[in-house]
Amino acid sequence: MDQLDFQKRIDHCKSYQMLQAEAQIILGIIQNEPCNSKMFAEYITLLNKIHVKSKGFNK
């Protein structure tokens, strides 16, 4: 799955739990898949977007 797919999925998350699930998927990819520094930076950017968006939800 590429970063654009994740971007769309994050944009459509309607709850804090959905954002947590997306973050877990991204973290799993980072841990288990080989990635270069550009890919790593893109995943970190997605995690940051999740973090910012999660502030808008009641936990």
Side-chain angles (χ1 to χ4, degrees):
M1 186 177 300
D2 67 4
Q3 283 79 11
L4 185 57
D5 290 336
F6 276 115
Q7 185 75 35
K8 289 178 185 175
R9 289 170 52 150
I10 292 166
D11 289 343
H12 290 96
C13 283
K14 302 291 185 210
S15 71
Y16 181 74
Q17 291 77 15
M18 289 174 72
L19 286 172
Q20 282 182 313
E22 293 300 325
Q24 289 298 320
I25 292 168
I26 293 169
L27 290 171
I29 291 170
I30 290 172
Q31 290 176 338
N32 297 308
E33 299 289 327
C35 62
N36 59 35
S37 59
K38 181 179 183 259
M39 290 173 60
F40 185 78
E42 289 173 353
Y43 286 128
I44 296 301
T45 300
L46 289 171
L47 289 172
N48 187 54
K49 181 172 177 129
I50 289 171
H51 171 72
V52 170
K53 186 171 180 171
S54 71
K55 290 181 179 183
F57 291 109
N58 291 330
K59 297 168 182 91

